[in-house]
Amino acid sequence: MVTAAQPLSPATDPARRLPAVRHLGPNWYACVMGTAIVGTAGAALPWQASGLRAVCTAVWALSLALLAVLLVARSLHWRHHRDQARAQLLDPTAAPFYGCLSMALLAVGGGALTVGRDWLGTPAAVALDAVLFTVGTVVGLAAAVAVPYLMAVRHRTAPEQASPVWLLPLVAPMVSAAVGPLLVPHLPAGQPRETLLLACVALFGVSLLATLATLPLIFGRLLTGGPLPLALTPSLFLVLGPLGQSTTAVGKFADVAPGVVPAPYAGGFEVLAVLYGVPVMGFALLWLCLAVAHVVRARREGMGFSMTWWSFTFPVGTCVTGAEALARHTGLAVYDGLSVVLYAGLVTAWAVAAAHTARGLVSGALLAGPRPAPAAPRSATARTR
């Protein structure tokens, strides 16, 4: 005798426990990253309008609150929807976004010392940054190893599937390299400072070499495989992340190197900041123009809002901080102007992405699960004579 299956209760059915967080993926940390960099990049602009720093501090505080909310929500996701969390980790399109957790922690931590200290005080800001930097760096290194490993061993991807999203776990160590020098002056003089600075240089190398190995796959796929799908087109902006962040990092190395490493090396960092930063920023501007052209095309073909629109924020913000670093180390007004123009674009992109995200949260569309595929029509047979 066959008995009908009993429906699962909310206590036993994973899909019915806290449904709001079931489809909350790691890509949501991009909201934190994009918000934090609006505050930190704005505070370092060459021309400071009245009240700008206070606004930047408030935006950073918002990123801190968003980080806290998302950490809780993602913890609930892992606790109540572990099946979905594991599926995301084994999905080649979702797994790279685990690098966003690291970058969110690091971006908020760096902002604590850049602008947050105005409200928190320096000791509390240093403590917060130290915790977030340590955890973010560990998570970033783990993602930089685990995600490529899963892609090689568990995921099944073809060259034509290469996407800028693949860069996300590889960029995380570069963010550590860029924000780590902020902590150097707060360590005891001598080996502790030098160790942290050179550790940041090592993280710079980890990310840079991995990016150089991956970027040709993405560029080649773009040239030979045609445009990306409409929803993925904004992800082209992700390529700006390692470019702008590495330029920012070498500038930070040069800022803190005097008195931390021997004189010949301190001077070398100053040279590196210019000789590396200028050509890389040039390529970043080339890629920015290419990405904008693809986005304009995709928009004309009907590209609607998705969470990939947050790709317009953090990567552009790294180019702002990179231009600011070049302005400091070259003294050229053109980089001052470039940082202001890029920052205006960053603020516009953040406002648009934030507004659409808020609307999607209120309507519930962004937290809803993927729509089921339409059922295939039932095949019919006809008798023929």
Side-chain angles (χ1 to χ4, degrees):
M1 180 178 181
V2 180
T3 58
Q6 295 296 323
L8 296 176
S9 67
T12 57
D13 184 1
R16 297 175 64 185
R17 293 197 301 263
L18 292 176
V21 301
R22 177 165 177 78
H23 300 284
L24 186 73
N27 59 317
W28 278 81
Y29 286 111
C31 303
V32 179
M33 298 157 53
T35 303
I37 200 135
V38 170
T40 54
L45 288 174
W47 303 308
Q48 291 288 311
S50 177
L52 177 60
R53 186 172 178 88
V55 172
C56 290
T57 306
V59 173
W60 170 82
L62 174 62
S63 73
L64 177 61
L66 289 174
L67 176 63
V69 170
L70 274 175
L71 288 174
V72 172
R74 286 286 296 166
S75 298
L76 293 173
H77 173 82
W78 269 96
R79 179 178 179 182
H80 296 288
H81 302 285
R82 196 163 297 175
D83 62 322
Q84 186 72 9
R86 288 174 176 170
Q88 290 172 350
L89 193 59
L90 297 178
D91 183 351
T93 62
F97 286 98
Y98 274 87
C100 291
L101 168 58
S102 167
M103 291 186 280
L105 294 168
L106 293 164
V108 174
L113 273 180
T114 304
V115 292
R117 62 183 180 183
D118 293 355
W119 291 2
L120 299 176
T122 299
V126 170
L128 178 60
D129 187 20
V131 171
L132 294 180
F133 172 76
T134 302
V135 177
T137 299
V138 171
V139 171
L141 288 173
V145 173
V147 174
Y149 174 80
L150 288 174
M151 292 179 68
V153 175
R154 298 293 299 273
H155 302 164
R156 291 294 177 263
T157 55
E160 59 270 17
Q161 293 176 293
S163 161
V165 173
W166 289 7
L167 293 172
L168 286 172
L170 308 178
V171 180
M174 188 66 78
V175 181
S176 294
V179 303
L182 295 172
L183 287 168
V184 169
H186 300 281
L187 291 176
Q191 288 211 7
R193 292 185 182 182
E194 185 174 359
T195 299
L196 178 57
L197 176 57
L198 294 185
C200 291
V201 176
L203 291 167
F204 169 86
V206 167
S207 181
L208 177 63
L209 296 177
T211 298
L212 291 176
T214 307
L215 188 55
L217 299 175
I218 298 168
F219 200 16
R221 179 258 175 264
L222 192 64
L223 295 180
T224 61
L228 294 176
L230 295 184
L232 273 179
T233 302
S235 70
L236 287 171
F237 277 73
L238 294 176
V239 175
L240 298 175
L243 303 175
Q245 199 68 278
S246 61
T247 303
T248 303
V250 293
K252 294 291 187 183
F253 299 159
D255 291 340
V256 302
V260 175
V261 294
Y265 302 114
F269 280 122
E270 184 70 30
V271 172
L272 179 66
V274 177
L275 295 187
Y276 174 89
V278 171
V280 170
M281 183 58 65
F283 181 68
L285 293 177
L286 170 66
W287 191 274
L288 176 62
C289 294
L290 178 66
V292 168
H294 275 267
V295 168
V296 170
R297 172 194 168 276
R299 188 66 172 159
R300 287 176 177 173
E301 294 194 1
M303 180 187 74
F305 173 75
S306 67
M307 289 299 289
T308 57
W309 281 34
W310 283 97
S311 302
F312 300 142
T313 57
F314 188 79
V316 174
T318 67
C319 292
V320 176
T321 56
E324 290 168 347
L326 286 174
R328 289 195 308 273
H329 293 286
T330 64
L332 294 178
V334 66
Y335 287 114
D336 287 332
L338 178 61
S339 64
V340 173
V341 171
L342 289 174
Y343 187 72
L346 167 63
V347 172
T348 302
W350 177 84
V352 172
H356 280 282
T357 302
R359 188 179 307 151
L361 283 173
V362 171
S363 68
L366 288 180
L367 293 177
R371 295 179 181 178
R378 180 180 301 176
S379 60
T381 59
R383 181 178 299 175
T384 58
R385 295 183 181 272

